[in-house]
Amino acid sequence: MNEHIVKSYEDELNTLTAECTRMGGLTEAQIADALAAVVKRNHDLAAAVVGRDDRLDESEREIERRAIRLIALRQPMASDLRRTVAAMKIANNLERCGDLAKNIAKRSLVIIESDPMTPLTRSIERMGKLVLTRLTTVLDAYTRSDLERALAVWSQDDEVDEHYNSLFRELLTYMMGDPRTITASAHMLFVAKNLERIGDHATNIAEIVHYEITGEDMISPARPKTDSLKA
Amino acid sequence: MNEHIVKSYEDELNTLTAECTRMGGLTEAQIADALAAVVKRNHDLAAAVVGRDDRLDESEREIERRAIRLIALRQPMASDLRRTVAAMKIANNLERCGDLAKNIAKRSLVIIESDPMTPLTRSIERMGKLVLTRLTTVLDAYTRSDLERALAVWSQDDEVDEHYNSLFRELLTYMMGDPRTITASAHMLFVAKNLERIGDHATNIAEIVHYEITGEDMISPARPKTDSLKA
């Protein structure tokens, strides 16, 4: 192979990783804004999140197209192949996080219309910040190929579940105490569930980074779990 | 290439598709049993679903391993590459359906402990059967490479959403009418949501089958949507 082709192959791989990192940044922004829409009861923020979601869908398609083209034309081996597959899988997880952020933004519009639920909103904010930190950390780990950092995210999977379980109980109590809050609380229940699922995607990404770096799967029975009702 | 290698390559591709079809069958059984656990209030069925979920996780890992090995060693082109990528993506969707079925089974255990919610359970049963039919049909389309059948599933995405929206309203009314039902109803809300998400995976699989057969993406804005709060 001449140097030109080698360079261009490296370029393609780097572009793929860079696209994925950029998509990660956009996803973080979507989640932060969706959370702020709920917490600050801000209609405009919610609308902005909904409007930007198409960009994430397009990013995922673009990364997938690039990855498949790269596999077909360049036939990457070993670690290059893992890097390519990892980019596709991470993009898929990010796209799903984006959908969840969009859904949170849409639900915030219903929640805004009801009376403020101050203590619940604080719990949601705490949970959202925790989830966002996990995602940011694992995306850092991806960008820097930092196995230790990825494993740290993976092993702290429990924390989000604990927040979710306590919020679930808090919300049911709230509903029972005042049936007029049931509609808004039901939407808040799904906001909490969506945050928990974003946390799961952060864990998935940690597993993908582990696979990319080591070439080995993490077998899920080892994965820490406290919430028996997760999906 | 000699005939032996050609045959063995074909064999590998066929095995991949067959594994995926088999995983589809197991997923259908998991969903049917999880639904029956809710409808018939059957503890044993729920436990069986939870116990079998590991097999789906293992199937997905196996299909992914085979697909990546096939890409790396055989370097499939064009339609063979699409077939390989499609198997990986379908396995991923089926694994997620399996998680949702397991979650329904776990929630059925909480629901069984409360008083029967007969009219709601009938609505859940109807929605569950619709979702299951969609999944069965799209898996048939995959097995037979039947584009028309896949497109039929894809274009009827709306029906499940309508069921879900009506169930969501029905459940909130139920909760407001009798706050003692709130805990069981909240779990039922997630059962309905999980069924809706299984329906979305059926739609995703229809898109993957379309891509496998035609080589073209279906762009999501064309996708029918009625529920503005989906995720």
Side-chain angles (χ1 to χ4, degrees), chain A residues 126-193:
Chain A
R126 269 195 303 275
M127 182 178 176
K129 285 191 171 160
L130 175 66
V131 165
L132 203 50
T133 305
R134 286 174 58 75
L135 188 67
T136 305
T137 310
V138 81
L139 289 172
D140 280 354
Y142 172 63
T143 311
R144 304 178 197 171
S145 295
D146 183 339
L147 184 60
E148 209 171 315
R149 196 176 268 251
L151 288 175
V153 170
W154 186 81
S155 63
Q156 280 150 24
D157 187 44
D158 270 4
E159 270 184 79
V160 174
D161 296 348
E162 282 157 22
H163 272 257
Y164 173 71
N165 289 335
S166 119
L167 245 164
F168 184 81
R169 283 190 298 269
E170 206 180 334
L171 273 160
L172 294 196
T173 309
Y174 204 78
M175 287 166 149
M176 290 176 203
D178 183 357
R180 286 168 309 166
T181 68
I182 283 176
T183 302
S185 298
H187 287 290
M188 204 63 125
L189 206 55
F190 281 113
V191 169
K193 187 74 201 172

Side-chain angles (χ1 to χ4, degrees), chain A residues 64 89 103 106 228-229, chain B residues 64 89 103 106 228-229:
Chain A
E64 199 180 291
K89 293 180 86 163
N103 187 264
K106 286 182 174 172
S228 62
L229 289 175
Chain B
E64 200 181 290
K89 293 179 87 162
N103 188 264
K106 286 182 175 174
S228 63
L229 290 176

Side-chain angles (χ1 to χ4, degrees), chain A residues 61 64-65 68 71-72 75 77 81 85 89 92 96 99-100 103 106-107 164 168 172 175-176 179 182-183 186-187 189-190 193 197 211 217 219-220 228-231, chain B residues 61 64-65 68 71-72 75 77 81 85 89 92 96 99-100 103 106-107 164 168 172 175-176 179 182-183 186-187 189-190 193 197 211 217 219-220 228-231:
Chain A
R61 276 196 296 273
E64 199 180 291
R65 267 196 295 266
I68 292 178
I71 293 173
Q75 299 157 350
M77 294 289 172
L81 179 60
V85 172
K89 293 180 86 163
N92 181 249
R96 280 149 65 197
D99 277 350
L100 294 164
N103 187 264
K106 286 182 174 172
R107 292 189 190 277
Y164 173 71
F168 184 81
L172 294 196
M175 287 166 149
M176 290 176 203
I182 283 176
T183 302
H187 287 290
L189 206 55
F190 281 113
K193 187 74 201 172
R197 286 172 60 196
Y211 160 79
D217 279 343
I219 304 299
S220 19
S228 62
L229 289 175
K230 289 182 68 155
Chain B
R61 276 195 297 271
E64 200 181 290
R65 266 195 298 264
I68 293 178
I71 293 174
Q75 299 157 354
M77 295 287 173
L81 179 60
V85 171
K89 293 179 87 162
N92 180 249
R96 280 147 66 195
D99 277 350
L100 294 163
N103 188 264
K106 286 182 175 174
R107 291 188 191 278
Y164 173 71
F168 184 81
L172 294 195
M175 286 167 149
M176 289 175 204
I182 283 176
T183 301
H187 287 289
L189 205 56
F190 282 113
K193 187 73 202 175
R197 286 171 61 197
Y211 160 79
D217 278 342
I219 303 297
S220 21
S228 63
L229 290 176
K230 288 182 67 152

Side-chain angles (χ1 to χ4, degrees), chain A residues 80-97:
Chain A
D80 287 349
L81 179 60
R82 290 205 304 274
R83 203 170 143 193
T84 311
V85 172
M88 263 172 83
K89 293 180 86 163
I90 290 175
N92 181 249
N93 276 278
L94 291 174
E95 190 273 331
R96 280 149 65 197
C97 287

